Amino acid sequence: MSSARQPIAVIGTGYVGLVTAAGFAELGSEVWCVDIDADKIARLERGEIPIYEPGLAECVLANRERLHFSTELAPALEHAQLLFVAVGTPPTYSGDADLSAVNAVVDAMPTSDHHALVMKSTVPVGTGAAIKRSFAQRGKEGFAYVSCPEFLKEGSALEDFLHPDRVVVGDDGDWAGDAVIELYAPLDAPLVRTDVASAEMIKLAANAFLATKISFINEIANVCEETGADVLEVARGMGLDRRIGTHFLKPGIGFGGSCFPKDVSALKQLAGNSGYHFQLLTSVIEVNELQKRRVVGKLQKHLGSLVGKEIALLGLAFKSNTDDMREASSLVLSARLQADGAKVRAYDPVAEEQARSLMGGVEFAPGALDALDGADAAVLVTEWPEFAELDWSQAAQRMSGRLVIDGRNFIDPETVKAAGFIYEGIGR
Ligand SMILES: NC(=O)c1ccc[n+]([C@@H]2O[C@H](COP(=O)([O-])OP(=O)(O)OC[C@H]3O[C@@H](n4cnc5c(N)ncnc54)[C@H](O)[C@@H]3O)[C@@H](O)[C@H]2O)c1
């Protein structure tokens, strides 16, 4: 890569920030990373990667020379003009996005006519305009602003960074937007250059649409269960229509993660705050919440009362290939099961450490078969590849019950049934 690549800074070294930093370092930039979490920075300086993301550790290691980590902003401001912001924007109690971390970054910026904030964090429409107003009120109008929303998916984040479907740049048509576009140029992705508000809305609308697709297919799955149709056949037949497409037509026990739930609710709130009732998104959220709880009904259908029953959860992370537990369906499920008197034992190959701090009363097992020991029923929650290989004959010897609920339609029903189990998927 050319040594003429411009240096950048990344503020916030979480899932998005660290991947962005590693990705731009891979493309040849010196990257100055800043985080307020001193422990995280110390680990990164020692070469430890605080999150699980395939390929990330190798990429950070390969580009170690170009990656600089600090809790201080000063080195970033000294070396870079473009400051990518990737701090968290979690939901508040009302469902609006909590912008306190973004605002803390904005407040820390000095007066400058040669720096730009490049917003990777997902923020409500109007945030960029508010930040520019705030800069102007404090005599910092020279500080440029670019919206550059991030679309990576946890589990394939680095791959997504390096091969994006599109790059969206929302700006005022000045030097900063040009510089961001130049940085992304080697990726050869379709570019959408637009105004800041539209860029902000593209991110929220894209996530809300994907979440809508999931809730839609989950409702179709529920109707399939009532009518005898197989939702996998239905989704295949629907998806081959190019106007619909095959992606995000996978029924399951609801979407989770740090993005869909919060972005759908942020868009709903944003609409509400501007006087528009976004009826469709209200349903998308409600369907998702009900979907997480339907597993409890399936268990009760076969086991009757759950009091004293032992339920094994296979997988806890909100999806496979990540240790992220934010808004994972397993959280709601384990709480509901325990409230109904069940004992919950769980196994996740990667997310156990994160899960332990969030899931009270759950016993953690060191392996899938250990989790199944003596269980009345198994529920597959996360589609970790190792669960496709599970030896169900061995499982049958270790479990006391004969019920398997496949919350992701991930395991082969015939193999499970051949081992003597009752198999229940979603929508089939
Ligand atoms: N995780 C995803 O899959 C994903 C995908 C696309 C967009 N996003 C958006 O990107 C943003 C970041 O998400 P994430 O999942 O990477 O969050 P994260 O919680 O993993 O990381 C945020 C980081 O910012 C740091 N931070 C907080 N305040 C700071 C400050 N004032 N200065 C410096 N660092 C600070 C935190 O310590 C943390 O390390 C969010 O707005 C999210 O919606 C996330």
Side-chain angles (χ1 to χ4, degrees):
M1 272 307 145
S2 141
S3 57
R5 298 275 299 165
Q6 64 167 313
I8 62 156
V10 175
I11 304 174
T13 56
Y15 287 89
V16 168
L18 193 55
V19 169
T20 302
F24 278 128
E26 175 76 14
L27 295 177
S29 285
E30 293 281 322
V31 184
W32 302 82
C33 303
V34 187
D35 204 291
I36 47 166
D37 184 337
D39 180 52
K40 197 177 261 189
I41 290 296
R43 291 178 68 183
L44 286 165
E45 279 183 312
R46 288 198 298 271
E48 287 174 31
I49 307 300
I51 54 171
Y52 178 83
E53 190 56 54
L56 184 59
E58 294 81 350
C59 186
V60 169
L61 186 68
N63 295 288
R64 191 68 195 86
E65 304 276 283
R66 283 195 280 268
L67 287 163
H68 314 274
F69 299 102
S70 174
T71 53
E72 302 294 328
L73 263 175
L77 287 163
E78 182 190 336
H79 293 282
Q81 291 188 294
L82 298 180
L83 309 159
F84 285 79
V85 181
V87 298
T89 49
T92 60
Y93 67 92
S94 62
D96 289 287
D98 177 353
L99 293 178
S100 53
V102 167
N103 290 334
V105 172
V106 171
D107 291 346
M109 292 302 126
T111 305
S112 169
D113 59 5
H114 61 279
H115 284 101
L117 278 188
V118 185
M119 191 57 68
K120 287 255 128 215
S121 297
T122 305
V123 294
V125 182
T127 304
I131 291 173
K132 286 193 278 183
R133 269 199 313 277
S134 147
F135 277 150
Q137 280 159 5
R138 291 184 269 176
K140 300 178 187 174
E141 46 277 277
F143 219 105
Y145 185 87
V146 179
S147 167
C148 182
E150 183 52 61
F151 299 94
L152 60 76
K153 303 180 287 298
E154 286 174 25
S156 57
L158 195 59
E159 183 65 17
D160 293 344
F161 177 90
L162 294 169
H163 304 284
D165 289 342
R166 75 300 210 186
V167 170
V168 174
V169 174
D171 73 318
D172 295 331
D174 58 16
W175 69 269
D178 293 345
V180 173
I181 289 167
E182 199 183 314
L183 266 181
Y184 276 103
L187 299 182
D188 214 16
L191 170 72
V192 180
R193 189 172 193 175
T194 182
D195 59 281
V196 170
S198 302
E200 292 167 339
M201 184 57 107
I202 287 170
K203 172 67 193 176
L204 292 176
N207 270 2
F209 185 76
L210 292 171
T212 302
K213 255 184 131 177
I214 298 174
S215 276
F216 181 84
I217 200 67
N218 279 337
E219 291 226 275
I220 294 290
N222 299 343
V223 179
C224 283
E225 286 179 6
E226 299 303 321
T227 54
D230 180 339
V231 74
L232 295 191
E233 295 298 303
V234 176
R236 192 159 67 95
M238 284 171 63
L240 287 170
D241 185 327
R242 275 172 292 178
R243 293 168 303 177
I244 297 173
T246 52
H247 297 291
F248 279 78
L249 286 183
K250 275 195 185 156
I253 53 173
F255 58 77
S258 66
C259 289
F260 285 168
K262 106 174 153 55
D263 293 350
V264 173
S265 123
L267 180 51
K268 183 190 144 196
Q269 289 304 115
L270 175 74
N273 294 343
S274 37
Y276 181 75
H277 176 51
F278 206 143
Q279 214 163 335
L280 180 60
L281 292 187
T282 306
S283 300
V284 168
I285 294 166
E286 196 177 305
V287 167
N288 195 51
E289 286 310 312
L290 292 173
Q291 197 69 14
K292 294 178 193 173
R293 290 159 172 81
R294 276 178 71 86
V295 172
V296 178
K298 284 177 192 272
L299 287 166
Q300 283 164 336
K301 185 175 87 184
H302 294 281
L303 302 178
S305 162
L306 297 182
V307 175
K309 298 285 177 354
E310 297 197 12
I311 311 295
L313 301 185
L314 298 180
L316 298 171
F318 87 92
K319 65 174 184 179
S320 60
N321 284 326
T322 181
D323 59 350
D324 201 343
M325 284 293 299
R326 287 178 284 188
E327 301 284 335
S329 296
S330 60
L331 297 172
V332 171
L333 185 55
S334 73
R336 284 295 330 133
L337 291 172
Q338 291 185 78
D340 284 354
K343 289 186 191 144
V344 177
R345 200 162 40 244
Y347 163 70
D348 189 288
V350 169
E352 181 182 326
E353 192 187 325
Q354 303 248 13
R356 272 185 186 277
S357 58
L358 298 168
M359 301 175 91
V362 172
E363 187 189 325
F364 291 89
L369 288 173
D370 304 298
L372 296 174
D373 253 339
D376 293 289
V379 181
L380 186 136
V381 178
T382 311
E383 63 279 38
W384 282 104
E386 68 173 76
F387 298 146
E389 312 291 319
L390 200 68
D391 183 338
W392 286 99
S393 312
Q394 271 200 51
Q397 286 165 24
R398 304 202 34 178
M399 285 174 65
S400 62
R402 287 289 169 271
L403 177 61
V404 175
I405 311 274
D406 183 357
R408 301 290 172 192
N409 290 335
F410 184 64
I411 38 187
D412 175 30
E414 298 316 317
T415 313
V416 178
K417 284 183 201 162
F421 287 99
I422 298 169
Y423 172 93
E424 274 240 21
I426 306 291
R428 47 204 303 220

